[in-house]
Amino acid sequence: MGLLERYEDLFPLTSATPRISLGEGNTPFLPLRNVGKSLGVKLYGKVEGANPTGSFKDRGMVLAVAKALEGRARAVVCASTGNTSASAAAYSAAAGLPCYVILPAGKVARGKLAQALIYGAKVLAVRGNFDKALELAMAASDEWRLAIVNSVNPYRLWGQRSGAWEICDELGRAPDWCVLPVGNAGNITAYWAGFVQYRRMGKCQGVPRMVGVQAQGASPLVSGVECDKPETVATAIRIGRPVNAQKARAAVKMSGGFFMAVSDEEILEAQSLLASREGVFAEPASCAPLAGLMRLKRDGKLPQATTIAMILTGNGLKDPDTAMSKAGEPVEVDGTMEALRKVMAP
């Protein structure tokens, strides 16, 4: 059952809204016992890489594209650092809508680029960063009356609330903390709205502190200054001017949470730890939250025994090159038992 059917009463649907689906949502909410024990907290990972196109974007995209169909849109357009393009292209293909994707040239992981292309989108790589790509996507939307499906689209954010609902359904309550990577700042806004909506409906108790983690090279919500040339290995959050900045600041403030920034080195260390200790392979941006928790632990600022939901926003196979740069290469040996005995020590 897709999200539009599962949470039909919680979405702004009408009888004319197509109930499209690629099987999104209902992603694993894993207890990360090994890493949690080392941090002294009860840690869970919401594995959004299990969505159809490998990221959390599918949650909002299914609703945004359904509403585009309902509104008889001519086509769909988006700017992207990668995951949005993959999701928009897939759902547009399923809905029979043309899809235009505007990407910053040379700044998108090849796994994500391959998805957008194979799903049949028209992909345009512009010389500039994501913020320039979004500016152009919005202008194209206005000029040709296309449905823009970035997080400026309210249906995108509404669909992403469903991640918070699933966490509450699993736990039977809201977690103490919800920690997310922050790029364009839509997801942290959506999760907060989802927790608040569930509490108001009496479906969960309490709301969590929202903690947003950015990369140091792209951390405008931490520094308070927009970044004209964002740089980080975590391509999914390489955004210097988040369009949802004001909403995200409000969500974090109302929840009693905070923003923080971590280095690329800390992100890659967290990615390796998560994979080697828990068997979960998430893309670099997804591991910024764990890097943040590890920093808080080292600084003595992580409350012990806290129940924490960590949103792992995308699959590690989205960007295998970055993972390989940290993990190293296979050991090449001759095809003999003698050669194996030299390197294996069970």
Side-chain angles (χ1 to χ4, degrees):
M1 180 184 295
L3 285 176
L4 300 190
E5 291 185 347
R6 184 180 180 194
Y7 291 113
E8 187 172 23
D9 294 340
L10 303 181
F11 287 135
L13 306 179
T14 72
S15 59
T17 309
R19 272 39 171 194
I20 63 175
S21 177
L22 289 176
E24 63 290 325
N26 198 28
T27 55
F29 188 55
L30 297 180
L32 303 175
R33 296 185 177 91
N34 297 325
V35 175
K37 183 178 180 180
S38 67
L39 294 174
V41 299
K42 192 171 185 180
L43 184 64
Y44 293 86
K46 186 65 168 158
V47 186
E48 291 294 87
N51 276 302
T53 73
S55 88
F56 75 99
K57 303 287 187 176
D58 296 346
R59 293 184 176 277
M61 200 60 68
V62 65
L63 181 57
V65 172
K67 283 295 186 177
L69 272 176
E70 182 180 357
R72 300 183 183 278
R74 297 171 59 192
V76 162
V77 64
C78 73
S80 182
T81 56
N83 285 330
T84 296
S85 66
S87 187
Y91 281 88
S92 295
L97 283 172
C99 179
Y100 297 91
V101 168
I102 303 177
L103 302 170
K107 299 294 185 179
V108 174
R110 291 189 62 80
K112 302 173 187 181
L113 181 59
Q115 286 182 284
L117 291 168
I118 200 68
Y119 291 136
K122 181 72 172 182
V123 179
L124 308 172
V126 302
R127 287 181 284 275
N129 59 26
F130 169 82
D131 303 299
K132 171 55 71 174
L134 181 57
E135 177 187 320
L136 291 170
M138 294 174 71
S141 172
D142 290 339
E143 183 163 338
W144 292 300
R145 300 192 309 278
L146 310 179
I148 188 163
V149 292
N150 285 97
S151 57
V152 295
N153 182 321
Y155 298 120
R156 262 283 310 277
L157 295 188
W158 201 315
Q160 286 166 212
R161 295 183 190 185
S162 60
W165 302 337
E166 289 181 6
I167 289 172
C168 292
D169 289 343
E170 287 271 355
L171 283 179
R173 64 176 182 89
D176 300 320
W177 286 22
C178 182
V179 189
L180 305 91
V182 174
N184 222 16
N187 211 27
I188 194 168
T189 303
Y191 266 78
W192 173 246
F195 286 123
V196 170
Q197 183 178 359
Y198 239 40
R199 181 188 62 181
R200 287 176 176 169
M201 296 178 69
K203 290 180 174 288
C204 75
Q205 293 181 342
V207 290
R209 296 182 71 185
M210 304 299 293
V211 179
V213 186
Q214 297 197 288
Q216 284 179 356
S219 55
L221 289 169
V222 178
S223 68
V225 179
E226 291 184 342
C227 180
D228 290 332
K229 295 181 179 180
E231 283 298 337
T232 173
V233 70
T235 56
I237 54 174
R238 188 191 282 154
I239 297 172
R241 298 182 180 182
V243 296
N244 294 291
Q246 186 174 352
K247 293 178 182 178
R249 288 192 183 99
V252 167
K253 182 178 180 179
M254 285 187 288
S255 74
F258 55 92
F259 292 106
M260 64 181 297
V262 293
S263 69
D264 281 0
E265 291 74 18
E266 288 174 304
I267 288 171
L268 293 178
E269 179 187 358
Q271 183 186 40
S272 179
L273 182 70
L274 182 66
S276 63
R277 295 287 303 280
E278 300 288 357
V280 177
F281 184 25
E283 68 171 314
S286 299
C287 300
L290 179 55
L293 293 174
M294 291 164 65
R295 166 89 67 81
L296 292 172
K297 173 66 173 179
R298 287 195 299 269
D299 293 346
K301 296 179 180 178
L302 184 62
Q304 300 298 277
T306 305
T307 297
I308 299 175
M310 184 171 66
I311 313 305
L312 303 173
T313 46
N315 194 297
L317 292 174
K318 293 274 192 173
D319 187 4
D321 292 340
T322 298
M324 290 291 288
S325 71
K326 178 73 174 180
E329 297 291 335
V331 177
E332 187 171 334
V333 299
D334 292 333
T336 66
M337 282 303 298
E338 182 180 358
L340 291 185
R341 290 186 189 103
K342 293 180 180 179
V343 295
M344 290 181 64

